[in-house]
Amino acid sequence: MSVPGMRRAAVGLTALAATALSAVAVNPNQAEAGPKPVDVKLLAINDFHGNLEPPSGSSGTIAGQPAGGVEYLATQLAALRQAVEEENAITVAAGDLIGASPLLSAAFHDEPTIEALSMAGLDFASVGNHEFDEGASELLRIQNGGCHPVDGCADGTPYAGAGFQYLSANAFRTATGEPLLPPYAVKKVQGVKVGFIGMTLEGTPQIVSQDGVAGLTFADEADTANRYARILRAQGVETIVVLLHEGGQQTAGAGINDCTGFTGPIVDIANRMDPSIDVVVSGHTHQAYNCEINGKLVTSASSFGRLVTDIDLQIDRGTGDVLTASANNVVVTRDVAKDPAQTALIGRYKTALGPVATKEVGLTTAAITRTQEVLFGTSMGESALGNLIADAQLAATDDEQGAVAAFMNPGGVRADLDAGVVTYEEAFTVQPFANNLVTLDLTGAQLYCLLEQQFVTNRTLYPSATVRYTVDPNGATAPAATPCAGTRVVRGSLTLGGTAVVDSATYRVTVNNFLSGGGDGFSVLTGATNQVTGMIDLDAFVAYLTAQSPVSAPALDRIRTTAEVPAA
């Protein structure tokens, strides 16, 4: 818990807070007579997603600098710890350390990432939605160790488990009501207790396959944090840190240590949190920010290990209260020495992976990116890479299953394709989830509902080249309770292969199994019929790249607005 008036002065937000700070220590001699505060340094990351090697393309830069790679991250963490006594530095993470990972980690069920972050000194991490990609049992194996139940110990060595503790306060076993993992942890630093509460976003079931969250219930983030804050205070803990896999975003162009035009779910959550909570280390949105919300320091270190949030706390040795709190997002530059232990780890797993990673599977004429075009002032338009993947999925199921259209969810497109040769590893990094393609029957009315749900969920489905439709920026967005009632998609504008869609007709459509299960809020797909499960999405993508090379970026002309299309 903070001493009133102290945090804002430390964060440097207002002159009023600085006045409050000076009013606390009326007599400097008196202040010096008491015990010195305890300096605690928190080093925070989030959304690492198994990026052991430096990410490529735009994902490998931040603040105008090349950044990332666990060899450099480990070195930077060690250097930052040197500012305090060893026991006073605590390294934490806000979820999605694994899942949606490049091949080097994913091929071994992300064991390399857990091993690397354990060696780098991670102490506590919240679970994120991607920690549930392979289900609760696999997450427990990742924590506790043991060979994979199907693939065994793929690199030929035993897997010892995480050298840090995952925390999961708001993910409960439905049958028992018990937390899946420890909800909180307490670390004593020079006699002062620091408490950590770990959580993922309450909406995890909507963005993870149903198999991944089977048997689990997820609770409200703020309510859960407040509940465990009370428990921690009853144990004499006054410094409380929440590690939360949910976040927000600044306006475009803001700096990595700014809090400009800040919005997102984390704002409401932080505003509903108890005053006893001092710091919220957040994530999920892959954004960088350094904010003060409701008297709390709220931070995020973007993604892929490109930043470390360096948080300094001064804690009253007698009361355990936070006196000052400040944060700085530090770029993990690549101009430092590589950590030799991390280099050895990467080399070992590359050897175990073998030559499959470097196999050439296609060629691009230019870079093909996942960047979405701006639609109605927001990034809700098409993506060249998303469209390409939809085309690949249709090509894999048109003759085989009679599909006439395909749709791809934006969250499943994880990286860009650079210009030139495409390796299997690069293709895998774009589509790392190993989802199956599912071809199913939808009526024309259900197809229109599917497209209207995009504006309810704020997620654009990337369409195959057979799809065309027009969006009205002045149309009504449907209420969440009746998602088919919107009027954003102009009726009569939807065509498949140049033929207008009729409400009463039936159409064969391909999506991945995440979407077919209602993922990302596209609930209308759960009412589809005649579902046939096909190949893995990555296999379809690789086959298409090979067959169509050299591949160019598809045109972004499948979704148009009424401003582009004259009224009939």
Side-chain angles (χ1 to χ4, degrees), residues 39-91:
D39 292 321
V40 173
K41 182 177 287 292
L42 307 180
L43 300 175
I45 62 172
N46 54 274
D47 296 277
F48 186 72
H49 288 292
N51 278 266
L52 298 172
E53 296 184 287
S56 61
S58 60
S59 297
T61 62
I62 197 164
Q65 301 180 71
V70 75
E71 296 161 294
Y72 305 105
L73 175 63
T75 297
Q76 299 274 23
L77 288 171
L80 289 167
R81 291 187 189 108
Q82 291 178 2
V84 295
E85 295 183 35
E86 184 176 356
E87 68 170 310
N88 292 37
I90 307 169
T91 305

Side-chain angles (χ1 to χ4, degrees), residues 382-558:
E382 298 170 69
S383 151
L385 187 51
N387 285 3
L388 182 69
I389 291 170
D391 291 343
Q393 294 182 355
L394 178 59
T397 55
D398 52 0
D399 295 335
E400 296 79 1
Q401 298 298 336
V404 295
F407 294 94
M408 177 62 194
N409 59 303
V413 186
R414 305 302 299 190
D416 300 335
L417 282 181
D418 293 333
V421 171
V422 179
T423 65
Y424 181 82
E425 184 173 25
E426 289 169 330
F428 182 96
T429 303
V430 172
Q431 287 215 276
F433 292 115
N435 286 322
N436 286 96
L437 300 185
V438 178
T439 305
L440 39 78
D441 283 353
L442 292 173
T443 66
Q446 287 175 313
L447 271 171
Y448 271 104
C449 180
L450 176 68
L451 299 181
E452 290 290 352
Q453 283 193 320
Q454 296 175 111
F455 301 96
V456 178
T457 63
N458 289 315
R459 291 181 173 91
T460 301
L461 295 174
Y462 303 135
S464 61
T466 53
V467 179
R468 295 289 189 280
Y469 65 93
T470 304
V471 175
D472 182 358
N474 299 313
T477 298
T482 55
C484 298
T487 59
R488 300 299 291 272
V489 179
V490 176
R491 290 306 183 268
S493 70
L494 175 59
T495 62
L496 300 180
T499 302
V501 168
V502 178
D503 280 0
S504 58
T506 299
Y507 304 88
R508 294 288 282 168
V509 175
T510 295
V511 295
N512 59 43
N513 63 286
F514 169 70
L515 282 174
S516 69
D520 276 349
F522 291 99
S523 58
V524 68
L525 290 171
T526 63
T529 58
N530 297 325
Q531 296 191 17
V532 176
T533 300
M535 67 170 63
I536 297 294
D537 54 5
L538 174 62
D539 294 339
F541 186 46
V542 167
Y544 190 80
L545 289 172
T546 301
Q548 300 296 323
S549 284
V551 177
S552 299
L556 304 181
D557 59 359
R558 304 173 187 183

